Amino acid sequence: MVQEQIKQEPSEGSLQQWEAQWQKFLKSVESPCSGWQILQVPRETTPWDDSKAFLVSFEQVAEACQWPKEEWVARLLPALSGEAEQAFTRLEAQEREDYGKVKAAILQSDAISRENQRQHFRHFCYQEAEGPRWAYSRLQECCHRWLKIERHSKEQIMELLILEQFLAILPLEIQSWVSKSTPETCSQAVALAEDYLLKHKKVETQGKQVAFSEEAASFCEEGGTISDTEQWRPYIETKQEDDRCADLLGATKQFVVLLQQNDMAAFLEYLVYK
């Protein structure tokens, strides 16, 4: 009996409750003093302090209420404030009707804001006129805005600190590549760094193959032979490494035959088409 109730669609009464709860929340956004029991946070904080979590909650409400996807932006609009609202206004008129683009803009703005807060904390300079107590207070404020300790667990804060240090130790070209995607976790940053290395290695390998083909062609035009196996060993090894999925034994035999026959044309054709 319980399983049958779980499989049923939400009743009209439950949908009305979700609607009423959402409207109550919107009123609490407009009048912080009234409060919403589910959001028991300090007065200086807002739901948009954690945009990702807020949007997840909004989507859960939207799905529970069975709102059509094309209405989601209109439903969300009254709750927008601060940087989230600014991100929305920066969009083109047509983009403002697409919830996916609105969400992406808000999350991107949130990531930029978080990065700005991190830089404020790291680059803060001591001012003698203000004194040590003021400097400490300012550092504490910047750190709170960056790490948002009232919302993040110790594990999440540690993740942010490790992510920052990981990005800092990367070579500049990899750091730039990874930072463009604004990773939120260390695992995301590691995956992006590995992706860069794979693409870079692929481009480098292709460049070596082109250089080898040009050098081999020039060598052939000058009347040279390929009987000297050692001279061509680096290129052969590069080719073999790039074709790991091929039958290495058969490829090796084919190379040996071509080298013994001094057939440069067949040798180049094999490298190009295999």
Side-chain angles (χ1 to χ4, degrees):
M1 190 67 177
V2 176
Q3 292 179 350
E4 292 179 358
Q5 292 178 353
I6 293 176
K7 293 180 180 179
Q8 289 177 355
E9 295 294 332
S11 65
E12 183 177 352
S14 64
L15 295 181
Q16 291 177 351
Q17 288 180 347
W18 278 107
E19 288 274 7
Q21 195 175 30
W22 178 248
Q23 293 301 325
K24 188 176 181 179
F25 167 71
L26 292 179
K27 291 180 180 180
S28 72
V29 174
E30 297 173 359
S31 305
C33 294
S34 64
W36 194 32
Q37 293 182 353
I38 296 180
L39 293 174
Q40 297 177 353
V41 295
R43 180 177 300 181
E44 64 270 13
T45 63
T46 71
W48 293 107
D49 287 340
D50 191 342
S51 299
K52 186 175 182 178
F54 179 78
L55 290 173
V56 169
S57 299
F58 167 77
E59 291 169 8
Q60 291 174 346
V61 173
E63 291 174 355
C65 293
Q66 299 180 345
W67 295 337
K69 192 69 175 287
E70 56 270 18
E71 294 182 6
W72 284 20
V73 173
R75 298 276 189 173
L76 180 66
L77 193 56
L80 293 179
S81 63
E83 294 179 357
E85 186 175 13
Q86 294 176 11
F88 175 80
T89 57
R90 286 194 292 267
L91 291 172
E92 299 292 337
Q94 187 175 0
E95 295 177 333
R96 296 177 188 176
E97 300 176 1
D98 187 329
Y99 175 77
K101 293 182 178 180
V102 171
K103 177 182 178 180
I106 292 175
L107 293 179
Q108 182 181 23
S109 176
D110 183 68
I112 293 174
S113 175
R114 186 169 62 250
E115 173 61 16
N116 289 338
Q117 296 298 341
R118 184 193 69 82
Q119 292 188 17
H120 287 163
F121 174 73
R122 292 302 186 190
H123 300 156
F124 177 79
C125 297
Y126 176 77
Q127 298 180 19
E128 294 184 5
E130 301 294 344
R133 189 172 297 275
W134 176 86
Y136 166 74
S137 178
R138 286 290 296 143
L139 275 176
Q140 190 178 41
E141 180 182 353
C142 291
C143 186
H144 277 234
R145 289 182 177 179
W146 169 35
L147 298 177
K148 299 179 180 178
I149 59 175
E150 70 281 355
R151 290 182 176 271
H152 291 156
S153 65
K154 291 186 294 184
E155 291 75 15
Q156 290 173 320
I157 292 174
M158 185 173 68
E159 180 83 1
L160 288 173
L161 292 175
I162 296 175
L163 174 61
E164 179 198 34
Q165 187 62 22
F166 176 72
L167 293 175
I169 65 174
L170 289 174
L172 291 179
E173 64 275 10
I174 303 180
Q175 183 184 114
S176 177
W177 167 274
V178 174
S179 298
K180 287 179 181 179
S181 299
T182 59
E184 297 182 356
T185 65
C186 294
S187 59
Q188 292 176 358
V190 170
L192 288 167
E194 291 176 338
D195 183 55
Y196 173 87
L197 291 175
L198 287 174
K199 292 183 178 180
H200 183 74
K201 182 178 180 180
K202 183 177 180 180
V203 171
E204 183 179 350
T205 300
Q206 291 175 345
K208 288 182 179 179
Q209 291 177 343
V210 171
F212 166 62
S213 298
E214 293 177 350
E215 185 174 347
S218 175
F219 182 74
C220 184
E221 290 177 357
E222 294 174 0
T225 66
I226 58 175
S227 57
D228 188 356
T229 306
E230 292 300 323
Q231 180 177 355
W232 299 96
R233 187 177 298 279
Y235 304 108
I236 297 174
E237 292 176 349
T238 299
K239 179 61 181 174
Q240 290 175 337
E241 181 180 356
D242 295 335
D243 295 336
R244 293 182 183 277
C245 295
D247 186 351
L248 296 181
L249 181 60
T252 303
K253 291 180 179 180
Q254 185 67 19
F255 273 120
V256 171
V257 171
L258 293 175
L259 288 171
Q260 291 175 344
Q261 294 177 351
N262 287 334
D263 191 345
M264 174 59 68
F267 181 76
L268 292 178
E269 182 179 0
Y270 180 84
L271 290 178
V272 172
Y273 293 105
K274 292 296 181 182

